[in-house]
Amino acid sequence: MENRFPGHRHDRSPADPAPRPTAEQDRELAMAEMYAECGLLRELAESVDVRLDDTVDSLTALDQLLPRWRDDPQVSQWLGTDAGLYLGTVIRRQVPGARWQLAADGRPLMVLGTGFELDATAIGHDWAEQGAPQLAAVYRAASDG
């Protein structure tokens, strides 16, 4: 029998379709995209020429900012949330196995590949209100496992 389709062999099985993401993976991706926005933090960073490029260097640059926002508790609260979400975004994008997960009370947690959980927004609030812990130090600890 003549093969009418060059390059096609009858003994080849069709390629396996690409695995479809699970509902949990879809939910985590949607959370990651939303959390990466960090509007207030990005606005602050842009105003002082800090580039938020999802690297530890950008976290170090944020750690070095003068904390003028501490004069306004409402701004400090929002900025703390954004800083924590940005920290989690950098960890998620740079540390293998890291992912977002919602705690039972709805707080976003950064879960490392080891299973260790970081309350990113609580860390961000502490950073915005007290300057500690430094965001870059938290990232380094997370990347070390």
Side-chain angles (χ1 to χ4, degrees):
M1 179 171 168
E2 182 181 322
N3 187 351
R4 291 184 279 175
F5 304 104
H8 177 76
R9 291 180 34 197
H10 291 284
D11 62 339
R12 235 187 247 173
S13 62
D16 291 330
R20 297 206 54 197
T22 65
E24 182 64 30
Q25 290 168 327
D26 285 343
R27 189 172 26 260
E28 196 275 340
L29 182 59
M31 285 190 312
E33 289 174 4
M34 181 179 67
Y35 296 159
E37 291 177 8
C38 311
L40 184 61
L41 183 68
R42 290 186 186 280
E43 186 178 305
L44 169 72
E46 186 177 299
S47 73
V48 293
D49 295 324
V50 170
R51 186 169 165 243
L52 299 185
D53 59 0
D54 300 340
T55 64
V56 69
D57 290 341
S58 65
L59 295 172
T60 300
L62 289 172
D63 287 335
Q64 295 172 355
L65 294 178
L66 291 174
R68 293 189 174 103
W69 59 84
R70 290 189 189 142
D71 296 336
D72 185 338
Q74 188 173 4
V75 170
S76 192
Q77 178 80 9
W78 279 100
L79 189 64
T81 298
D82 276 8
L85 295 176
Y86 182 67
L87 169 64
T89 296
V90 174
I91 291 170
R92 181 185 178 276
R93 291 183 177 166
Q94 302 293 331
V95 177
R99 61 184 168 72
W100 286 110
Q101 180 178 310
L102 290 178
D105 64 1
R107 289 175 299 118
L109 300 174
M110 176 50 48
V111 181
L112 303 179
T114 61
F116 186 79
E117 297 176 348
L118 292 171
D119 187 339
T121 54
I123 293 167
H125 285 264
D126 289 346
W127 173 83
E129 294 166 10
Q130 304 161 22
Q134 290 189 333
L135 301 174
V138 174
Y139 169 82
R140 284 187 189 96
S143 66
D144 287 343

